[in-house]
Amino acid sequence: MQIIDGKALSAKYREKLKSEIQSLKSRGVTPGLAVILVGDDPGSQVYVRNKIKACEELGITGFECRYPADTDEKTVIAKIEELNANPDCDGILVQLPLPRHLDERKILSYIDVKKDVDGFSAYQTGLMCLGTPDLLPCTPHGVIELIKSTGVEIAGKNAVVIGRSNIVGKPMFHLLLQNNATVTVCHSKTRDLGSITSKADILVVAIGKAKFVKKEMVKEGAIVIDVGMDRDENGKLCGDVDFEDVKEKCSFITPVPGGVGPMTITMLMSNTVAAANRRPK
Ligand code: GUN
C-alpha cells in the first residue's frame, strides 16, 4: 500500500502557480480572491483561514469578507455585486454551508460566472457536464489529480463514488466519466452498498461519516480517496474511511489530514490564477 501525499502534490502544483503569478505580476496583474463567510461554523472558519493563508503564501490578494450569522440576503448580494465590479478581484467564493435563513442557490447565482472559482454556478456546472470545462469545482478536480498522481490509468476502471452532493459527489461523477471510467454513484438510498463498493477499482468517499468505510467494503488493490473531514470518538480529525482497517487492502489511499484537503485549496488557487490570466491585456 502507498499513501498518496496530498501535501507534497500540492506543494509541486503551488510552485508552478508561483511562477505563473510572477509573470502575471510582471505585467501589472496581481490575482485577487474574495472569500465570503457568513456565520461562525467552526469547520468553515478553518477552511476560510486556510484559503486566505494559501493566498498570502502565493502572492494572491485575499479579500476576506466576514459577516455575522444573522446577516440578511440583501447585504450578502450587495457585497457580491461590489466584488463582481471590482477589477482587482478575479475570484469570488461564498463559503458553504450558509446559515439556514439564506437561500444558497439564489446567493450563488449573483456571482459573475467568470469569477466563479468554486465552479458551483449553473454555467460552470453546465460546461463541465458537456465535457468542455472552464473552472472546475476544486475538490473533485483535486481528487482527479490525486488519482492521476498514482500513475494508474483511470480509463476503463470501475469507479464508485459514495455521496451525491453538488459540491463533491455529482461533479466527481462527471470528472471520472470524462476520464473514461465506468462510474457508479451511491447514496443514502443505495441498497447493499458494500456489494457495489467492493467492485470498485477506484473508490471516492464523500459522505461525512467518520470511519464509515471498512475493509469488507473495499476491493483488494483499490485506489481509495477519502474526502471526509470528520472527528472520531476522541475528537481527533479523521476521514470517512477507517484508514487503519483499510490501508493494507488497497494499493493507494489518501490520508486525512494531508490528502484531499490541501489539493482542494491548491485547485482554488489555480482557478483564481486562470481567472486572472483572462484580465484584458
Ligand atoms: N464547503 C465545503 N466545501 C466547500 C467548497 O469547496 N467551497 C465552498 N465555497 N464551500 C465549501
Side-chain angles (χ1 to χ4, degrees):
M1 180 275 305
Q2 288 182 55
I3 292 179
I4 309 175
D5 186 341
K7 261 175 99 167
L9 189 64
S10 274
K12 219 168 85 184
Y13 280 73
R14 287 186 199 193
E15 279 311 307
K16 217 158 57 190
L17 283 175
K18 265 188 198 161
S19 69
E20 280 184 51
I21 292 165
Q22 273 317 314
S23 68
L24 275 167
K25 286 190 175 174
S26 68
R27 65 171 168 96
V29 173
T30 300
L33 171 67
V35 182
I36 299 174
L37 173 60
V38 186
D40 43 23
D41 176 75
S44 294
Q45 303 266 4
V46 176
Y47 296 142
V48 166
R49 201 179 319 126
N50 288 340
K51 287 168 185 175
I52 296 292
K53 211 171 94 193
C55 285
E56 285 165 358
E57 281 166 14
L58 291 179
I60 294 172
T61 307
F63 302 86
E64 197 174 344
C65 316
R66 290 176 176 265
Y67 294 95
D70 60 358
T71 302
D72 64 9
E73 185 177 287
K74 252 177 46 200
T75 307
V76 182
I77 290 171
K79 187 68 197 180
I80 291 172
E81 288 182 325
E82 177 200 313
L83 292 163
N84 282 341
N86 181 348
D88 294 325
C89 169
D90 300 289
I92 304 169
L93 174 159
V94 176
Q95 188 63 35
L96 304 177
L98 284 168
R100 287 175 63 154
H101 68 281
L102 295 173
D103 179 342
E104 200 167 283
R105 267 290 126 202
K106 181 174 177 191
I107 286 179
L108 292 179
S109 76
Y110 279 85
I111 297 173
D112 178 343
V113 295
K114 292 189 289 305
K115 299 191 178 191
D116 172 28
V117 286
D118 251 336
F120 292 165
S121 62
Y123 177 76
Q124 294 295 350
T125 302
L127 288 179
M128 177 190 62
C129 293
L130 291 169
T132 54
D134 176 33
L135 299 171
L136 284 175
C138 305
T139 298
H141 188 197
V143 169
I144 292 289
E145 298 302 316
L146 287 162
I147 298 169
K148 287 184 174 170
S149 78
T150 65
V152 175
E153 183 160 28
I154 299 175
K157 295 290 177 350
N158 276 333
V160 172
V161 180
I162 318 183
R164 57 172 156 180
S165 70
N166 289 332
I167 292 180
V168 184
K170 282 187 215 167
M172 199 68 249
F173 164 78
H174 287 288
L175 297 190
L176 286 163
L177 184 63
Q178 187 64 28
N179 281 279
N180 299 307
T182 302
V183 194
T184 306
V185 180
C186 301
H187 46 78
S188 54
K189 298 282 192 290
T190 296
R191 292 184 192 161
D192 199 3
L193 179 65
S195 76
I196 300 170
T197 58
S198 56
K199 293 188 183 71
D201 304 306
I202 299 168
L203 181 61
V204 181
V205 193
I207 41 171
K209 286 187 186 161
K211 300 184 181 178
F212 178 82
V213 171
K214 307 286 184 193
K215 63 171 180 284
E216 296 73 30
M217 302 171 71
V218 175
K219 182 179 174 181
E220 192 82 44
I223 298 175
V224 178
I225 308 288
D226 189 348
V227 184
M229 277 282 213
D230 315 305
R231 299 271 165 193
D232 69 9
E233 57 282 4
N234 303 314
K236 200 170 149 240
L237 195 63
C238 70
D240 293 346
V241 176
D242 190 335
F243 186 89
E244 287 305 318
D245 192 51
V246 165
K247 69 178 185 192
E248 292 313 331
K249 203 166 175 191
C250 48
S251 58
F252 293 92
I253 186 168
T254 58
V256 177
V260 173
M263 281 303 281
T264 293
I265 296 183
T266 300
M267 294 300 113
L268 174 65
M269 300 298 121
S270 169
N271 278 347
T272 305
V273 171
N277 255 311
R278 292 195 289 229
R279 280 200 213 169
K281 297 202 171 162

